[in-house]
């Protein structure tokens, strides 16, 4: 290569060229006129100007970004403010002068709410030093070993699914299990602790998380000051279980630890102030934090999705409502789902409940007045409500104002009662478990409804501050729905199946408890056109005529009108959550699907994919579907679709219905039908290697698991221990999957 370049340089060297060629080159390479000189000068100046950009001119303004900052976020009052804090819990307690820490692991917010309540009660009852509420994900779990002997740790931990810890418990859970196995060498001889678990006996692994943590703590030398306590949501006693445990905790505080208890008086941990200097552009009008899932694997961001169609699924004879909703993903290219995933809907509270509470607080005329919310002690109290905002946005979009109140809340509310009679009534309900149970069996006591019931002649409660509501009411949470469409057949449009909740009060059937999110979706569905129906023309016409009407009114335009960009368009805030509830990769793998009611949603997508595979010439495995509902005439959802799929799949699909309220036949549930078809179930599971899927309520899933175990024992002659080992193995290989809820 180098000799070639040398030779080439000789060829073009001026001395090697003829004179006539040199003359020609000089004419080309040198300016011949004033125009050439001007052109060269312009080119030179343009190049110099471009190269000096950012050095001699157009320097970036170091303060340019300030024009786009919200002033309120500079002081940490917004959701997006970030404070760099220590992850060492011992150091955090020392900095905040606290000697009690309440750790919480929460999936749906219940454990977090209990932790905050307990922290506040400790601070109010046992002195100013008080306690610190600690999200387990905020701290390095190994720093627990550095807690001094004078510190008390309290663990409030939830269990969900198949004995799984909450998302924010993952790091602590890994550390605990490794320490328990001896993979991490650590001792906790100085740790004194209490533990309370939240679980549900409808799930097989009832309160597994708190039990595993307690075993690990004890094996590492920690001292339990009370036996572990457990709440059982299956019996609806979670609140009472917590109150009983907390009372025993406080008794030990007084008798054993020698802490002095004072009278309970409300001391706010947050301050709420009006600020009329703020403009609407400065405020949070109720929009969810769009980046709330930024650090949660498997979750998408929160985005507005367009609701494009809605149709009823129950027949006209049913007094209940169930909806099929279609949502368009085209405007959100980053939204990609897979068959079996979940969609979360972010709702608002119903208008009547919002107006009722604003009126009782005396805030109707000032509902849109800007308010700021900040923590009195930022080191211990985190504000999860965006600030600044308005009372209207606070009650419509940010707080769970429709949730029933527990006895603790009644006790605290009594001090704000406007009349002695109302105060006496609240004290009686708060201190008498039987009186509270009787009262709630006749009344749905949201905060506003309770205030009206105990004091019907008082138009306002002037002593009740907004700070109390923010501290006492849980944040409004999204609700999750199994996606009922196939990502293969419909990648940019997904559907969900929604049962509209409306439950009568046991001893007052004229009153009903309306589900917040399902009725919100019912109202939203009324504003869009019906979705294309797979029904025959006559049935489709009858179904469209029977479109349900909501009894609950919602402001569907969304925060600041953000969900109504144009007429005839309805948007919903939503996000996706990945699921492990998936079809096998091999299409010939047999399937056993067990569901009841809206639990059929993911199986609708499963069957659609299998039908498509068969139609394009792929072989598919045998399928057995157990489907439970009340009656064929009332709530057999997607009946025509099921029959159509069955006609295409032929003998590859067998549908076994379980009707629990048919007049002409005895009640049958899906677990009963499994017992009646046990030979086929065992054959598919053992001989054909089928995957088993269960979707529906946890109580149903538990009974199905029992029924399958009984059939394995009958057909295979196995013992209970052998069935247990088989069940563990099939679940470990991910061939037994459940998508269940409480």
């Amino acid at each position: 290569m180098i000799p070639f370049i040398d030779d080439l340089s000789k060829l073009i060297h001026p001395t090697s060229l003829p004179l006539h060629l040199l003359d020609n080159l000089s004419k080309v390479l040198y300016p011949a006129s004033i125009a050439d000189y001007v052109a060269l000068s312009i080119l030179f100046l343009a190049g110099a100007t471009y190269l000096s950009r950012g050095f001699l001119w157009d320097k970036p303004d170091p303060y340019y970004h300030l024009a786009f900052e919200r002033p309120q976020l500079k002081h940490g009052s917004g959701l997006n403010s970030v404070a760099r804090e220590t992850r060492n819990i011992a150091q955090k307690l020392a900095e905040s002068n606290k000697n009690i820490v309440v750790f919480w692991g929460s999936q749906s917010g219940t454990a977090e709410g209990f932790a905050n309540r307990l922290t506040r009660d400790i601070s109010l009852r046992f002195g100013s030093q008080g306690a610190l509420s600690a999200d387990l994900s905020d701290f390095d779990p190994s720093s627990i070993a550095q807690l001094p002997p004078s510190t008390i740790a309290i663990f409030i931990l939830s269990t969900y699914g198949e004995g799984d810890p909450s998302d924010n418990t993952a790091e602590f859970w890994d550390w605990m299990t490794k320490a328990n196995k001896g993979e991490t060498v650590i001792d906790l001889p100085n740790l004194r602790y209490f533990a309370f678990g939240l679980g549900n006996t409808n799930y097989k692994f009832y309160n597994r998380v708190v039990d595993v943590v307690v075993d690990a703590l004890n094996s590492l030398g920690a001292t339990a000051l009370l036996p572990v306590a457990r709440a059982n949501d299956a019996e609806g006693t979670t609140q009472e279980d917590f109150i009983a445990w907390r009372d025993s905790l406080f008794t030990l505080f007084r008798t054993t630890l020698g802490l002095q208890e004072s009278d309970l008086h409300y001391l706010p941990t947050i301050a709420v102030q009006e600020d009329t200097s703020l403009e609407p552009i400065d405020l949070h009008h109720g929009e969810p934090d769009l980046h709330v899932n930024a650090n949660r694997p498997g979750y998408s961001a929160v985005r507005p999705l367009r609701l494009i169609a809605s149709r009823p699924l129950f027949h006209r004879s049913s007094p209940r409502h169930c909806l099929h909703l279609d949502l368009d993903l085209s405007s959100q290219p980053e939204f990609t789902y897979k068959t079996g995933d979940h969609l979360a809907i972010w709702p608002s509270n119903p208008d009547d409940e919002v107006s009722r509470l604003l009126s009782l607080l005396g805030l109707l005329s000032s509902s849109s007045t800007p308010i700021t919310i900040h923590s009195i002690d930022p080191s211990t109290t985190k504000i999860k409500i965006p600030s600044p905002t308005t009372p209207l946005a606070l009650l419509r979009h940010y707080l769970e104002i429709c949730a029933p109140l527990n006895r603790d809340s009644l006790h605290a509310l009594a001090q704000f009662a406007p009349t002695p009679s109302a105060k006496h009534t609240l004290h009686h309900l708060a201190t008498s478990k039987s009186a509270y149970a009787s009262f709630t069996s006749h009344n749905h006591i949201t905060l506003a409804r309770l205030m009206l019931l105990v004091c019907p002649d008082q138009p306002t409660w002037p002593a009740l501050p907004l700070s109390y509501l923010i501290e006492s009411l849980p944040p409004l949470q999204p609700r999750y729905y199994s996606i009922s469409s196939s990502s293969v057949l419909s990648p940019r449009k997904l559907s969900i199946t929604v049962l509209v909740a409306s439950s009568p009060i046991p001893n007052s059937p004229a009153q009903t408890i309306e589900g917040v999110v399902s009725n919100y979706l019912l109202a939203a569905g009324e504003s869009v056109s019906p979705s294309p129906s797979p029904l025959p023309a006559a049935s489709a016409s009858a179904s469209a005529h029977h479109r349900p009407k909501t009894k609950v009114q919602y402001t569907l335009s969304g925060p600041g009108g953000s969900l109504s960009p144009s007429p005839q368009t309805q948007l919903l805030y939503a996000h996706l959550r990945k699921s492990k509830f998936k079809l096998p990769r091999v299409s010939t793998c047999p399937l056993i699907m067990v569901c009841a009611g809206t639990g059929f949603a993911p199986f609708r997508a499963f069957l659609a994919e299998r039908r498509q595979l068969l139609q394009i010439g792929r072989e598919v495995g045998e399928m057995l579907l157990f489907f439970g509902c009340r009656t064929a005439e009332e709530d057999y959802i997607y009946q025509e679709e099921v029959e159509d799929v069955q006609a295409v799949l032929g003998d590859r699909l067998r549908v076994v219905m379980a009707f629990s309220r048919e007049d002409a036949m005895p009640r049958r549930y899906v677990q009963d039908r499994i017992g009646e078809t046990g030979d086929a179930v065992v054959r598919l599971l053992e001989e054909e290697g089928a995957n088993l899927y269960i979707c529906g309520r946890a109580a149903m899933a538990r009974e199905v698991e029992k029924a399958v175990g009984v059939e394995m024992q009958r057909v295979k002659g196995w013992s209970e221990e052998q069935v247990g080992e088989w069940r563990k193995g099939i679940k470990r290989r991910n061939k037994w999957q459940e998508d269940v809820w409480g």
Side-chain angles (χ1 to χ4, degrees), residues 118-136:
L118 182 61
T119 300
R120 187 167 59 251
D121 287 349
I122 292 173
S123 300
L124 294 176
R125 292 174 182 266
F126 295 98
S128 59
Q129 191 171 10
L132 172 72
S133 178
D135 181 340
L136 279 167

Side-chain angles (χ1 to χ4, degrees), residues 576-591:
L576 294 168
R577 181 177 69 182
K578 299 300 181 185
S579 169
K580 297 179 181 178
F581 201 75
K582 302 298 181 187
L583 278 168
R585 294 181 181 274
V586 180
S587 63
T588 54
C589 178
L591 310 178

Side-chain angles (χ1 to χ4, degrees), residues 480-709:
Y480 288 90
Y481 295 92
S482 297
I483 295 175
S484 54
S485 56
S486 163
S487 59
V488 174
L489 302 178
S490 181
R492 303 311 302 158
K493 184 182 78 173
L494 63 76
S495 64
I496 56 175
T497 307
V498 180
L499 178 66
V500 181
S502 181
S503 306
I505 304 292
N507 295 321
S508 183
Q511 298 185 63
T512 56
I513 303 173
E514 310 293 343
V516 172
V517 183
S518 60
N519 281 276
Y520 171 74
L521 291 171
L522 176 58
E526 292 176 6
S527 64
V528 300
S529 47
S531 62
S533 175
L535 309 180
S539 299
S541 175
S543 177
H545 178 72
H546 184 55
R547 291 190 74 193
K549 300 296 183 183
T550 180
K551 296 181 293 183
V552 186
Q553 299 300 316
Y554 291 84
T555 299
L556 298 174
S557 57
S562 59
L563 298 182
S564 289
S566 62
Q568 306 301 320
T569 298
Q570 182 58 55
L571 299 177
L572 304 171
Y573 280 116
H575 71 261
L576 294 168
R577 181 177 69 182
K578 299 300 181 185
S579 169
K580 297 179 181 178
F581 201 75
K582 302 298 181 187
L583 278 168
R585 294 181 181 274
V586 180
S587 63
T588 54
C589 178
L591 310 178
I592 299 176
M593 298 165 282
V594 188
C595 64
T598 56
F600 177 66
F603 299 144
R604 175 179 182 263
F606 284 12
L607 293 176
E609 286 197 15
R610 283 286 173 99
R611 176 178 60 181
Q612 180 68 13
L613 287 171
L614 185 66
Q615 289 177 330
I616 64 174
R618 298 277 297 278
E619 188 55 48
V620 299
E622 183 179 351
M623 287 161 280
L624 181 57
L625 170 66
F626 294 92
F627 192 170
C629 58
R630 293 184 179 184
T631 70
E633 293 299 322
E634 179 182 341
D635 57 359
Y636 183 177
I637 61 174
Y638 299 112
Q639 180 178 357
E640 289 78 7
E641 289 188 30
V642 172
E643 293 171 351
D644 180 58
V645 171
Q646 193 170 22
V648 174
L649 294 174
D651 58 5
R652 296 173 181 82
L653 172 64
R654 178 184 176 188
V655 180
V656 180
M657 297 301 302
F659 298 115
S660 61
R661 299 191 185 182
E662 284 282 8
D663 294 333
M665 61 180 66
R667 291 193 174 193
R668 287 289 186 273
Y669 299 98
V670 286
Q671 58 266 28
D672 301 321
R673 300 309 308 269
I674 286 174
E676 296 168 7
T677 56
D679 291 340
V681 170
V682 174
R683 175 183 62 81
L684 286 172
L685 288 172
E686 271 299 283
E687 298 177 15
E688 307 295 335
N691 279 18
L692 174 65
Y693 299 89
I694 306 173
C695 187
R697 292 196 172 276
M700 179 272 288
R702 182 185 59 186
E703 295 302 318
V704 168
E705 183 169 322
K706 290 180 182 178
V708 172

